[in-house]
Amino acid sequence: MVVEPRPHRRLSRWWAALAGVVAAGAGLALGELVAAWVAPGSSPVLAAGGAVVDSVPGWLKNLAVDWFGTHDKAVLLGTMGVVLAAGAALAGVLELRRPPWGAVLMGAVGVVGAVVAVGRPGANAAWATPSVVGIGAGVVLLRLVARRLRVWSGAQVRAGAPGADDEWRRAAERDATLDRRGFLLVTGLTAVGAVLAVVASRAVGAGARAVQTARAALRLPTPAKRAPAVPAGADFHIDGLASYITPDDSFYRIDTALRVPLVDPDTWSLRITGLVDNPFTLTWADLLALPLEEHHLTLACVSNFVGGDLIGNALWLGYPLRSLLARAKPHADADMVLSSSADGFSAGTPLEVMLDPGRESLLAIGMNGQPLPYEHGFPARLVVPGLYGYVSATKWVTEMKVTKFADDIAYWTLRGWSERGPVKLESRIDVPSDGGVVTPGSDGTVVVAGIAWEQHTGIRGVEVQVDDAPWQPATLAETVGPDTWRQWRYAWDAKGSGTGQHTLRVRATDADGHVQTSDVEPPPPNGATGWHTIQVAVK
């Protein structure tokens, strides 16, 4: 028996690994193409990623947000890509050395993908098709390219066999060259096919194009009730300070959707169900015909750490949720509304909050004068001031079930977060930046500025402390009302403090006289607390 020389064996392993990656990539690309026909959520990668998101404990989700912020989904997909590539490479090597175990490994991944896809919210048996078809094709391709590689590798061994005459060796070398070309041709065509399948899957997404066309053509109705004008003194216009109104493209996005759902407003509807006397379904046309209202409201994420930026303030257009619920006539024993999203997310909101006549909770369709951006819930979402988003701000909302906290549990509550999620009194220093160097102005001062919030209660005052000196009052900006954040600023006598490092802290007092706590708590399970503290150097 001729033993394959080690250089050839190492080279074969690398080519086998590449073949596995290419075959798996082509299979996944074909799966994406099939998913474009079946349902976007049936994509093997997205279904698996969604299952990962749903299964992670709350502490890990919060850690991901802390580390990666709004890029957490891209990091997850990138990590999944690395893991899949490594597994595909292993399958390639196995198929070369121990056939058919590489194909068995890849096929097992396809079976798991199909099972996971069928188990996703809103799925049916057809959701298994992309995984079955895609990975099935990947298995066939893997066996094909591995067979070509074995032939090439065998020809290499023959060409290098000891004791062979020159003519025999030259013939073996010609065979090796031809087999190498065959292997590279099959692998290259497979890679090209994968790219074409991805392009085709995007082109086939006629539903996505329909949604994009519908949003582009949408003209928001004139509000029956307009929001009060933003006072001229609501924004200090200080560089680095968060503006009073957060632009759409700067508004934070935290949700469980790996791919933004594209929901066609013409087929969208909202079902009001559960413990009600009058369940009904609201269509898009019904919603546009209602007397809509504008309100400035701040939203905050429970994952926001002290001093974090997972908070934003916008002008929202929508219909009062209390009016929708009044039409449904909730039962007296109901105490919660479980709202569900097109992507399977759910939030449990206290019914009394949604019915509160003094709280402008909305079924929103507009943001800052435009239709909702896709990533912020188009065509419709919930906006509830005074509660963290995980219990209130359901995007792409499709159902509101009136129920009881004792009978139903929402997405993040199931994962260890608190049940009701009231927003906590917080404040933040925006300028100067933490670790920065400042130069006093001609009057010896440095501007310190930031925002403070406690939605639906409002801010009465803000104080700043430099090192261990007494707390000093800051100047508050104007505001539309208690449901939005307030800017503040303080003229710090930096020259009088002296050059070198200094510690700045901020705390707020709400409209009821409660002072922000100094107790440091992490976001889980119901929001972070503590004074935002930064270090700056005076030059």
Side-chain angles (χ1 to χ4, degrees), residues 443-537:
D443 60 354
T445 66
V446 168
V447 173
V448 182
I451 56 173
W453 63 91
E454 189 180 20
Q455 295 95 306
H456 200 58
T457 300
I459 299 298
R460 176 191 294 179
V462 170
E463 297 171 289
V464 175
Q465 184 184 53
V466 179
D467 299 324
D468 294 320
W471 289 91
Q472 299 297 321
T475 300
L476 290 178
E478 298 296 324
T479 184
V480 170
D483 287 333
T484 71
W485 64 24
R486 294 188 77 169
Q487 293 184 355
W488 58 266
R489 67 182 178 189
Y490 170 69
W492 167 34
D493 182 10
K495 185 175 181 180
S497 296
T499 58
Q501 292 288 330
H502 295 280
T503 300
L504 305 182
R505 302 180 185 87
V506 63
R507 70 182 183 187
T509 301
D510 69 18
D512 294 331
H514 300 123
V515 179
Q516 180 181 340
T517 180
S518 61
D519 295 340
V520 177
E521 296 290 346
N526 57 4
T529 62
W531 295 335
H532 188 207
T533 302
I534 68 170
Q535 302 292 323
V536 295

Side-chain angles (χ1 to χ4, degrees), residues 108 322 359 386 442 504:
R322 59 177 175 272
R359 194 183 307 241
S442 57
L504 305 182

Side-chain angles (χ1 to χ4, degrees), residues 287-308:
L287 179 53
L288 293 183
L290 294 173
L292 305 182
E293 300 182 2
E294 281 183 332
H295 296 284
H296 291 94
L297 305 172
T298 292
L299 297 185
C301 180
V302 70
S303 297
N304 202 31
F305 53 87
V306 173

Side-chain angles (χ1 to χ4, degrees), residues 293-349:
E293 300 182 2
E294 281 183 332
H295 296 284
H296 291 94
L297 305 172
T298 292
L299 297 185
C301 180
V302 70
S303 297
N304 202 31
F305 53 87
V306 173
D309 59 359
L310 301 182
I311 183 170
N313 187 48
L315 173 65
W316 305 93
L317 173 69
Y319 187 67
L321 291 174
R322 59 177 175 272
S323 299
L324 279 180
L325 292 169
R327 174 180 168 184
K329 299 180 180 178
H331 295 177
D333 58 341
D335 62 2
M336 187 252 269
V337 175
L338 185 71
S339 55
S340 300
S341 165
D343 74 328
F345 172 81
S346 63
T349 310

Side-chain angles (χ1 to χ4, degrees), residues 82-142:
V82 171
V83 172
L84 287 172
L90 174 61
V93 174
L94 283 175
E95 189 61 24
L96 174 68
R97 300 297 181 194
R98 298 287 186 272
W101 288 110
V104 170
L105 174 61
M106 190 173 290
V109 172
V111 171
V112 172
V115 172
V116 168
V118 171
R120 299 298 298 152
N124 53 47
W127 282 40
T129 307
S131 293
V132 171
V133 173
I135 300 302
V139 168
V140 172
L141 290 169
L142 176 64

Side-chain angles (χ1 to χ4, degrees), residues 35-94:
W37 289 101
V38 176
S42 65
S43 156
V45 173
L46 293 183
V52 171
V53 171
D54 290 351
S55 62
V56 298
W59 66 266
L60 184 56
K61 173 260 184 187
N62 188 69
L63 183 63
V65 173
D66 281 353
W67 282 3
F68 308 114
T70 55
H71 301 295
D72 56 339
K73 298 172 186 62
V75 171
L76 171 60
L77 290 175
T79 302
M80 288 179 59
V82 171
V83 172
L84 287 172
L90 174 61
V93 174
L94 283 175

